[in-house]
Amino acid sequence: MSFLEVKNLHKSFGSTQVLKGIDFSLQKGDVVSIIGSSGSGKTTLLRCLNFLELADTGSVFVKGEEIFNAQKKYADRELRKNRLHFGLVFQGFNLFPQYTALTNVRLPLDMQTKERLARARKAMSKTSADSVAGAPAKTSLSARFKAWIDGKKSFAEKKKQALEENAVKAERILCDVGLGEKMNNYPCELSGGQCQRVAIARALALEPEILCFDEPTSALDPELTGEVLRVIRSLKSPDRAMVIVTHEMQFAAEISDKVIFMADGVIEEAGTPQQIFRAPQSEKLKAFLRNYAENR
């Protein structure tokens, strides 16, 4: 059974077909790099995997469970839940400029905490109301009031503790990506490479099983590219899979278990790095690699 399986994804914008039937799979611990020219559908594929765009047809499975089927309708809450399998690092960072690096990383954790506590509180309130409903009238009001007070205190304490734990976790992740001394800096005070590392830390915060990168170095000056690639290399782990859209061919060759070459909305060729870079079969892939070598 594949850890991630994508079946027959199609996506169009108006009359333009961007994805024309994408099928691939990977195992836990795998790193898959996706290469190809601009406009080949690479970014749209990542956005469909993260449900930022919904595919027109096709399905996505994680650990054998279908988490998306284009024939079904999903509530926003269900999509948010399924999206937690994935973490996405955008090429343009997408940090909130008004928040520090630490707060940018904490935000998804705090939002998840508040949503989880709100659901639990709602469920407890309903349970309390149901349990009191059968009580004698003279005790019903006091029982409800006591349950309300106790619940309010309990949830306030849980929220405070959870938010404190979130702060500690965010600090640890920022230290892991080499930004321990920059956690109180704002994005405008950081280099492009540092901003991208904050974005990586934010994606890691919710502990996704599949970490996706959309050309993570394309917005960086050449001298900053190395620091981001080093962080990505350090994230390779048997506990997660990674899908990397990249224009760094040497990096893709070094880090990948599998390389996918996309052209015109389809997977033109896929294989090991050695197969793709040393023995390409597709004429389109050969032309792509030739152009890349000539323009370096």
Side-chain angles (χ1 to χ4, degrees), residues 105-122:
V105 177
R106 277 190 61 177
L107 274 174
L109 289 167
D110 290 349
M111 291 175 64
Q112 185 185 61
T113 293
K114 291 171 183 177
E115 184 176 353
R116 185 174 65 247
L117 288 176
R119 288 199 305 269
R121 189 167 195 166
K122 183 178 179 180

Side-chain angles (χ1 to χ4, degrees), residues 24-279:
F24 75 92
S25 63
L26 55 80
Q27 298 298 330
K28 193 172 185 179
D30 281 355
V31 175
V32 174
S33 290
I34 303 177
I35 63 174
S37 301
S38 297
S40 59
K42 306 184 301 297
T43 293
T44 299
L45 173 57
L46 281 194
R47 291 180 65 83
C48 286
L49 284 181
N50 287 268
F51 311 126
L52 299 177
E53 302 285 353
L54 298 184
D56 301 322
T57 63
S59 52
V60 178
F61 296 80
V62 174
K63 296 182 291 189
E65 176 188 356
E66 186 178 67
I67 64 168
F68 176 79
N69 186 319
Q71 303 305 311
K72 299 178 181 179
K73 297 290 185 182
Y74 293 89
D76 289 344
R77 177 178 168 184
E78 193 170 6
L79 286 175
R80 289 198 302 272
K81 177 186 175 183
N82 291 341
R83 191 178 289 132
L84 291 175
H85 291 287
F86 300 88
L88 177 59
V89 179
F90 299 90
Q91 60 181 333
F93 319 144
N94 285 20
L95 300 179
F96 292 101
Q98 70 272 34
Y99 297 136
T100 64
L102 179 62
T103 303
N104 266 282
V105 177
R106 277 190 61 177
L107 274 174
L109 289 167
D110 290 349
M111 291 175 64
Q112 185 185 61
T113 293
K114 291 171 183 177
E115 184 176 353
R116 185 174 65 247
L117 288 176
R119 288 199 305 269
R121 189 167 195 166
K122 183 178 179 180
M124 194 185 83
S125 297
K126 184 179 185 303
T127 301
S128 298
D130 291 344
S131 65
V132 171
K138 63 180 181 179
T139 61
S140 177
L141 183 61
S142 61
R144 280 198 174 93
F145 182 73
K146 184 178 185 304
W148 181 78
I149 290 294
D150 290 345
K152 189 172 182 180
K153 286 182 179 178
S154 174
F155 275 97
E157 292 167 356
K158 288 180 179 178
K159 181 179 178 180
K160 180 181 178 182
Q161 180 181 354
L163 294 179
E164 289 173 350
E165 291 173 353
N166 290 347
V168 172
K169 182 176 182 179
E171 290 178 6
R172 175 179 56 78
I173 297 172
L174 281 169
C175 289
D176 288 344
V177 299
L179 293 175
E181 297 180 354
K182 299 289 185 179
M183 63 180 63
N184 293 316
N185 289 63
Y186 291 86
C188 64
E189 300 171 323
L190 302 174
S191 70
Q194 290 168 338
C195 283
Q196 191 60 291
R197 282 188 279 159
V198 174
I200 292 171
R202 181 180 59 188
L204 289 169
L206 295 179
E207 301 179 10
E209 297 169 296
I210 302 157
L211 191 56
C212 302
F213 297 86
D214 184 14
E215 298 194 13
T217 61
S218 66
L220 303 179
D221 294 331
E223 62 268 24
L224 300 177
T225 296
E227 66 183 65
V228 172
L229 296 182
R230 281 193 294 273
V231 170
I232 297 174
R233 283 191 185 94
S234 73
L235 297 177
K236 187 170 183 177
S237 164
D239 297 324
R240 73 166 68 90
M242 294 200 291
V243 181
I244 307 172
V245 169
T246 182
H247 59 272
E248 300 286 344
M249 297 302 112
Q250 184 62 39
F251 173 68
E254 292 172 358
I255 197 173
S256 304
D257 299 289
K258 181 179 181 179
V259 178
I260 290 173
F261 170 64
M262 290 186 64
D264 302 317
V266 300
I267 294 177
E268 180 74 15
E269 190 169 340
T272 65
Q274 185 171 3
Q275 291 170 332
I276 293 298
F277 294 115
R278 295 187 182 181

Side-chain angles (χ1 to χ4, degrees), residues 278-295:
R278 295 187 182 181
Q281 300 298 308
S282 163
E283 291 302 321
K284 291 182 179 180
L285 175 55
K286 291 177 183 178
F288 172 79
L289 294 176
R290 189 164 52 247
N291 290 336
Y292 174 80
E294 291 173 353
N295 293 314

